[in-house]
Amino acid sequence: MRRLSSENHRIHRIPRPSRLRRGAIPAALCALALTLTACGSERAASKAPKAGTDDRVEAGSTATTPATVFPTDSSDPESSEPDFLPFMELLLSITEPCLRFEPTEEPPTEPPEEPDPTEPPLTPLPEPLPPDATPPPVEPIDPDEARKEVELSPVEKCDARVHSRRIAKALKGTPDPTPGQVKDVLHGLGYIDLRIHGPQRSGEGVEFTLDLRLLGGELCLSAKVTGTRTVTDPYGGSSEVACPDVRRRR
């Protein structure tokens, strides 16, 4: 599938304190699930779904946690979206059953040796910066390197299968949809405008790309709808670039 043009190629990151390594994603997702606001859950639950109402995974379906306030960054455009929290709940509800595919570390066969307090550490600890010191500049990322497609984790491959099934099921009821109809169906499934690239006409079908990256994740999903058939293609992309700008492996 050729690279899609995007109406808005700005990079939209979900606010997070720092970039998470791949192995830390399940723990971060579980922590985030416990801090979602009750108001966002009630808003998602009160909305009548426009499409895919009989699908087993819907936005806000796991909103059973106590009412706590989730911190948001007012400088991030996604934080001001009214459907931002329900969208996060949707991604979390899909990821939760997929966490069983995350490889677990085997416990060590022998307890680790206690370090000798009399010996200096092998690697000297960095000196703390004084309060008025300027932190060192962040080394820029090579743009060509950032655009390379990356391998998806087993959890993200599972996520992609669930997203693909629910989208294909919802679009099957609209034969030969227009780009506007496709976007309406995606909205009804809980996907927000800032994470939808397209849809746009391509030959006899309609193409679009979804940015499903969350908390350091790398899942992008491109799709093409022709008639009643929807073909999806998941791939990994760095959070430094928009999903349509990832240089795909062929």
Side-chain angles (χ1 to χ4, degrees), residues 123-148:
T123 304
L125 298 176
E127 292 291 334
L129 292 174
D132 56 347
T134 302
V138 178
E139 187 175 338
I141 299 176
D142 183 0
D144 289 335
E145 190 69 23
R147 290 185 61 218
K148 289 183 179 179

Side-chain angles (χ1 to χ4, degrees), residues 20-214:
L20 301 177
R21 57 188 177 84
R22 182 186 297 271
I25 293 175
L29 289 175
C30 294
L32 179 57
L34 296 176
T35 56
L36 288 172
T37 60
C39 63
S41 304
E42 293 170 358
R43 181 169 60 248
S46 64
K47 289 188 177 181
K50 299 177 183 178
T53 55
D54 57 345
D55 198 278
R56 65 181 182 88
V57 181
E58 291 298 332
S61 61
T62 59
T64 59
T65 55
T68 53
V69 177
F70 178 68
T72 57
D73 181 2
S74 60
S75 64
D76 191 292
E78 288 187 328
S79 299
S80 60
E81 281 284 303
D83 295 330
F84 176 63
L85 287 176
F87 173 70
M88 291 180 67
E89 290 178 337
L90 168 66
L91 298 188
L92 288 169
S93 66
I94 288 177
T95 297
E96 185 176 1
C98 289
L99 293 179
R100 67 184 187 274
F101 293 105
E102 183 70 13
T104 57
E105 296 182 0
E106 296 184 1
T109 56
E110 297 181 0
E113 295 182 3
E114 292 292 335
D116 187 349
T118 61
E119 295 183 2
L122 298 178
T123 304
L125 298 176
E127 292 291 334
L129 292 174
D132 56 347
T134 302
V138 178
E139 187 175 338
I141 299 176
D142 183 0
D144 289 335
E145 190 69 23
R147 290 185 61 218
K148 289 183 179 179
E149 180 179 347
V150 298
E151 185 70 22
L152 292 173
S153 70
V155 173
E156 289 172 317
K157 290 178 181 179
C158 172
D159 290 347
R161 290 192 292 270
V162 179
H163 284 289
S164 298
R165 284 196 300 266
R166 68 194 304 268
I167 292 170
K169 182 178 179 180
L171 287 171
K172 187 175 291 187
T174 310
D176 295 317
T178 64
Q181 289 173 321
V182 171
K183 178 166 281 192
D184 288 342
V185 170
L186 294 176
H187 286 165
L189 290 174
Y191 303 103
I192 59 177
D193 281 331
L194 289 177
R195 295 302 191 94
I196 301 173
H197 297 271
Q200 62 184 20
R201 180 68 64 181
S202 176
E204 297 180 355
V206 175
E207 292 181 345
F208 62 90
T209 298
L210 293 179
D211 183 347
L212 303 172
R213 295 174 292 191
L214 177 68

